[in-house]
Amino acid sequence: MPMDLLAHVPGDRGWPVVGHTLSFVHDAAGLVERHRRAHGDVFRMRVLGREGVTFLTPQATREIYLDPGKVLSSERGWSSSIGPLFRNGLMLRDFDDHHRHRRVMQQAFSRAALTGYVDAIHDVTDRHLRGLPAGDVDVYVLMKRLTLDIAAEVFVGVSLGQQSERVNRAFQAAVAASITPLRVAVPGSTYRRGLRGRAELTRVFGELVAQRRREEPRGDLLSRLSHATTEDGELLPVDDVVDHMVFLMLAAHDTTTSTLAVMLWQLALHPAEQDRVAEEVRALGGAPVTPADHGRLEHTTRAMQEALRLSPPVPFSPRHALADVEITGVRVPAGHGVNVSSLALHRHPDWWTLPDAFDPDRFAPGREEHKQHSHLFVPFGGGAHLCIGNHVAEVMVKAIVARLLAGRRVTADPAAGVVIRPVPIPKPRGPMLLTVR
């Protein structure tokens, strides 16, 4: 029997073969909370065939994200889940390779570029909301369509038009496949559907790259990447451009969708908080939300932060130890996983007052619970892999909420029993109905 190199870490290996995978897929938050109560803030788990150590303290989160020894691989950490489906995105690159590719993409996320996206964000939002009738609407479905169209306009420079629904279904299939326990492409399986979805995304963006390379350079990210060159002066390989665009489009719309849906749902359940946000956005007088407005939209910002705390868009950040490493005094042998869980950290009772409650004022001056440690509130990750598009996401969220609540009110049934499934990206298990008035 092989030696158990994690014998010094509390916890267990779970069921034979599957480990804790089924519990993780069904109820990741409950699984982690049960382990925290039983074992404390450091414990072992085995998910999707990978055994590793999960850390639930902000100091451990800091050490993992900063990774001063460059021994924690993000690429290999994600390889057992999204790796085959969203290969070679920024999150799936390490160290110098990651730095080179991030530098190429960074120009599309500068403050000047962000200011240039404002009109497109508002134009697409207005088109979607113009025909929104009063009555019940599934806010998750509405936001998913809206954010995908915004991402296409901003980053691809075109409307996806009739392809939009097909691209949306392809993304949904690929995301669902990333955590399926049966990772074999047998006919009818979730994993096979995911691989077919990825193939469709590759086809769509491959055609767009070819089209861009026949044209003069434009201002959108797809055009910039299509004409970007390596240090040797060669164009980036088509596969690299496609991989970046597929991953970026996922990050730009799926994660923003979850934040918007949770934020609007909570505001619908808490009318006093909705009133504060609505009063603030109406004061804009219909003007677009710009990066300069961030400081003025105080209540909107805090409501968004609270939605990100309750439902972080990337609830787990796995890494793979390339060498033996010590994290907050706990030794993790080479070849094992290292996991950060913002989902659990953001609701840790040692750090947050009534952690399951929606309370935007916990971020207000005088309380500022998130400032107890630099890595207590980490909705966008940290270190070298800090989300490159976090400022774009903030503008999108605030712009959409401002446009929606400036002339409407949303309500929700507290008894609806909406449950958010946190992995791989937060999503309601069923309809998330709001009543729009």
Side-chain angles (χ1 to χ4, degrees):
M1 186 173 183
M3 181 183 298
D4 184 358
L5 298 179
L6 291 180
H8 60 291
V9 180
D12 59 77
R13 305 189 72 236
W15 292 95
V17 183
V18 297
H20 300 97
T21 300
L22 299 181
S23 297
F24 181 80
V25 172
H26 176 71
D27 181 16
L31 172 68
V32 173
E33 178 61 12
R34 290 191 296 274
H35 275 68
R36 185 191 69 81
R37 291 183 178 183
H39 307 298
D41 289 335
V42 181
F43 49 83
R44 62 192 293 184
M45 291 197 306
R46 189 161 57 98
V47 175
L48 293 174
R50 293 290 181 89
E51 187 164 14
V53 183
T54 298
F55 293 84
L56 302 184
T57 67
Q59 181 57 32
T61 300
R62 180 181 187 277
E63 293 180 18
I64 292 166
Y65 279 149
L66 297 185
D67 185 22
K70 290 190 174 182
V71 297
L72 298 176
S73 168
S74 180
E75 186 275 325
R76 293 189 63 179
W78 287 103
S79 64
S80 63
S81 55
I82 68 173
L85 299 143
F86 296 100
R87 55 187 178 270
N88 296 327
L90 270 185
M91 202 163 69
L92 287 90
R93 293 179 183 269
D94 288 326
F95 315 128
D96 291 344
D97 177 58
H98 169 265
H99 179 71
R100 283 193 300 272
H101 283 264
R102 189 180 180 101
R103 190 169 54 197
V104 171
M105 299 185 70
Q106 189 67 56
Q107 57 184 315
F109 297 93
S110 66
R111 188 173 184 86
L114 179 56
T115 301
Y117 299 150
V118 167
D119 288 343
I121 291 172
H122 285 83
D123 288 348
V124 177
T125 300
D126 287 345
R127 286 204 304 269
H128 275 256
L129 297 184
R130 193 175 296 126
L132 182 65
D136 291 345
V137 60
D138 188 322
V139 67
Y140 183 86
V141 173
L142 175 66
M143 291 300 114
K144 189 135 183 8
R145 290 172 177 158
L146 171 54
T147 56
L148 179 59
D149 282 355
I150 290 175
E153 292 274 0
V154 167
F155 297 119
V156 183
V158 297
S159 171
L160 292 175
Q162 294 181 345
Q163 290 194 104
S164 181
E165 275 305 309
R166 193 161 69 248
V167 169
N168 189 18
R169 289 194 298 271
F171 272 117
Q172 289 177 324
V175 169
S178 69
I179 58 166
T180 182
L182 180 62
R183 306 185 72 77
V184 181
V186 296
S189 69
T190 298
Y191 196 64
R192 182 179 177 119
R193 286 193 294 271
L195 292 176
R196 292 177 67 179
R198 168 65 207 217
E200 173 68 7
L201 295 171
T202 298
R203 182 194 65 77
V204 169
F205 287 99
E207 291 176 356
L208 288 168
V209 171
Q211 178 182 328
R212 284 295 186 277
R213 287 190 167 172
R214 292 192 297 267
E215 303 170 348
E216 290 297 313
R218 295 160 45 171
D220 58 85
L221 178 61
L222 175 61
S223 181
R224 292 180 183 186
L225 286 178
S226 297
H227 292 276
T229 57
T230 66
E231 294 174 353
D232 298 326
E234 300 290 332
L235 287 172
L236 285 178
V238 172
D239 288 349
D240 279 357
V241 179
V242 170
D243 290 341
H244 279 311
M245 289 307 303
V246 169
F247 185 78
L248 178 67
M249 289 291 289
L250 169 76
H253 88 280
D254 244 21
T255 58
T256 308
T257 294
S258 69
T259 300
L260 278 162
V262 170
M263 180 178 175
L264 289 167
W265 177 261
Q266 290 292 346
L267 289 174
L269 294 177
H270 297 84
E273 297 295 344
Q274 185 178 166
D275 288 342
R276 296 165 78 185
V277 171
E279 180 180 359
E280 196 170 64
V281 299
R282 285 170 188 154
L284 295 173
V289 174
T290 70
D293 293 315
H294 283 317
R296 294 198 292 270
L297 297 175
E298 296 178 358
H299 297 304
T300 309
T301 297
R302 291 199 284 269
M304 181 188 71
Q305 288 174 315
E306 184 68 339
L308 287 165
R309 184 190 68 84
L310 288 171
S311 193
V314 183
F316 293 88
S317 297
R319 300 289 189 267
H320 177 88
L322 301 174
D324 291 355
V325 62
E326 190 171 285
I327 300 166
T328 58
V330 178
R331 179 177 55 82
V332 180
H336 288 78
V338 173
N339 298 304
V340 166
S341 175
S342 56
L343 177 69
L345 185 59
H346 285 182
R347 295 185 185 231
H348 200 302
D350 289 353
W351 296 92
W352 304 94
T353 304
L354 299 176
D356 293 330
F358 181 74
D359 180 11
D361 281 346
R362 70 175 76 246
F363 292 93
R367 286 182 65 184
E368 295 181 323
E369 294 181 8
H370 63 302
K371 291 188 176 181
Q372 296 173 83
H373 191 286
S374 63
H375 284 68
L376 175 60
F377 180 60
V378 287
F380 297 110
H385 285 276
L386 177 70
C387 175
I388 194 172
N390 59 339
H391 297 303
V392 176
E394 287 185 28
V395 169
M396 283 177 64
V397 169
K398 292 176 182 178
I400 291 169
V401 169
R403 283 302 207 243
L404 180 64
L405 296 185
R408 301 173 180 84
R409 186 167 189 81
V410 293
T411 58
D413 180 4
V418 169
V419 175
I420 302 295
R421 186 189 65 198
V423 294
I425 297 172
K427 179 181 179 180
R429 290 189 183 276
M432 200 175 194
L433 295 179
L434 295 184
T435 301
V436 180
R437 295 187 173 88

